[in-house]
Amino acid sequence: MPSTVYEEEPEPPAGDDADSVEALLVRVADGDKDAFTGVYEALARPVMGLACRILRDPAQAEEVTQEVMVEVWRTACRYRPERGSAKGWVFTLAHRRAVDRVRHAQAAAQRERRAGAVLAGREHDEVAEAVEDDDERRRAQECMARLARMYRVPLALAYYQGLTYVEVAAALSAPAGTVKSRMRTGLRLLRDCLEAR
């Protein structure tokens, strides 16, 4: 299976405003099926690439891509151009959907482990585990908040928006090498903070 099938393609050069993804998405909100075809052709492959990077399973990434594109058709009226690009909005939908699927799989695996522990006769304290999970999440949020803005913002864009460091650099109007270096430093500082607690 060639890897290029799941990689993002470069965006086509911008044409006139009527052909931009933003303009197409606004038309999709009015029920324009031809405009949706344009949005689908422009964004389905990049969405697939993002989903594949998160899920690491092409079959699940295809399902997420289809779900996201259906959601775009159904909820295009929620897109607000003043809040960001159409691509960013669709990528946010895709990232959330893919992360939800990962969390669902992790929760299912945890349920299976718990069931196995019960069957094996080992005690399992769900309350203690829930408290531990909440504590880890709180510690991670505290450590993230302690990072300097120049480290925190690129990491937040990469994690919550699913952007690559090149896309983060473009969003921040900063050199890609600088952003990559800041992200590495930020991750190291975040790890050090978590390990120190």
Side-chain angles (χ1 to χ4, degrees):
M1 182 177 343
S3 62
T4 56
V5 173
Y6 304 108
E7 293 177 2
E8 289 184 35
E9 289 184 338
E11 286 192 36
D16 62 12
D17 193 42
D19 291 333
S20 74
V21 177
E22 283 77 9
L24 290 171
L25 197 54
V26 169
R27 288 175 34 210
V28 169
D30 292 331
D32 185 337
K33 293 179 183 177
D34 292 332
F36 178 73
T37 300
V39 171
Y40 189 93
E41 289 174 356
L43 297 180
R45 287 185 61 123
V47 166
M48 175 73 172
L50 171 64
C52 207
R53 280 196 310 267
I54 294 170
L55 295 165
R56 308 223 186 270
D57 179 351
Q60 287 195 40
E62 281 181 7
E63 290 178 18
V64 165
T65 300
Q66 292 306 314
E67 292 169 6
V68 167
M69 297 315 291
V70 168
E71 186 175 357
V72 167
W73 171 253
R74 286 184 15 250
T75 64
C77 59
R78 294 183 188 161
Y79 168 63
R80 296 290 177 261
E82 65 274 8
R83 292 188 184 168
S85 72
K87 183 178 180 181
W89 182 70
V90 174
F91 271 23
T92 299
L93 297 176
H95 185 268
R96 287 178 184 160
R97 183 76 57 136
V99 168
D100 284 348
R101 192 169 284 228
V102 169
R103 288 180 179 150
H104 177 74
Q106 289 172 340
Q110 286 178 346
R111 282 192 301 271
E112 288 178 18
R113 281 195 299 273
R114 289 177 189 148
V118 168
L119 292 175
R122 287 181 272 159
E123 289 188 27
H124 176 72
D125 188 348
E126 290 181 23
V127 173
E129 231 177 71
V131 168
E132 189 176 301
D133 289 347
D134 286 345
D135 186 49
E136 286 176 13
R137 189 173 14 263
R138 181 189 49 74
R139 286 182 14 223
Q141 289 170 344
E142 287 175 0
C143 287
M144 187 77 160
R146 289 181 181 177
L147 289 178
R149 187 177 192 284
M150 68 183 200
Y151 302 125
R152 184 178 63 248
V153 170
L155 289 178
L157 286 173
Y159 180 76
Y160 294 112
Q161 297 291 324
L163 302 180
T164 65
Y165 77 91
V166 174
E167 293 167 332
V168 171
L172 297 175
S173 301
T178 301
V179 168
K180 187 175 184 179
S181 174
R182 287 178 180 172
M183 289 175 73
R184 283 185 180 159
T185 301
L187 286 172
R188 182 181 49 76
L189 292 170
L190 195 57
R191 184 189 67 230
D192 292 347
C193 176
L194 288 170
E195 289 176 355
R197 295 171 149 259

